[in-house]
Amino acid sequence: MTPDVVFEKLPPSPRITPTASIRHTEIVAQLRARPNEWARIQERDKPGDAAGVAYQIRKGILAAFRPAGHFEAKSRTVNDTFCVYARYVGRATNTLLDPESDRI
């Protein structure tokens, strides 16, 4: 007996909402309008969530922030609030030479 294979449209992901994509696109437009300037773009409930979003931005996992390397992102705790900061840098840069970067 062969297994039943059902070809159908892939259901939408419950994790990615259309409003999230639109929100990211709006954030990216604002960051591109002010290159190299840090902006707080999100506040999260947990430090790991903020760090995860920053990672997704840096790696270009979030589609609006592609190509990878065109945005820098960091997470910071400010007054017990877990924040995500990002900036548009254009093509990949050497942050070791950037005095405003705290990257080691």
Side-chain angles (χ1 to χ4, degrees), residues 29-49:
Q30 291 180 56
L31 295 175
R32 285 180 185 267
R34 296 173 74 166
N36 298 308
E37 189 174 342
W38 286 104
R40 186 179 67 236
I41 63 168
Q42 278 191 19
E43 294 179 358
R44 305 298 292 206
D45 293 330
K46 300 176 187 172
D49 292 348

Side-chain angles (χ1 to χ4, degrees), residues 39-103:
R40 186 179 67 236
I41 63 168
Q42 278 191 19
E43 294 179 358
R44 305 298 292 206
D45 293 330
K46 300 176 187 172
D49 292 348
V53 171
Y55 174 83
Q56 292 174 356
I57 291 170
R58 287 193 306 272
K59 297 298 182 183
I61 295 168
L62 295 174
F65 293 91
R66 290 181 188 153
H70 282 225
F71 293 87
E72 292 181 343
K74 308 272 185 186
S75 62
R76 294 288 187 266
T77 303
V78 180
N79 298 324
D80 297 323
T81 302
F82 310 111
C83 303
V84 179
Y85 289 83
R87 68 179 175 175
Y88 174 71
V89 294
R91 61 185 170 78
T93 60
N94 183 347
T95 56
L96 294 175
L97 302 177
D98 181 355
E100 290 192 20
S101 178
D102 57 320
R103 194 174 189 180

Side-chain angles (χ1 to χ4, degrees), residues 6-18:
V6 179
F7 290 91
E8 59 188 21
K9 283 182 81 171
L10 182 66
S13 170
R15 298 183 73 192
I16 306 292
T17 62

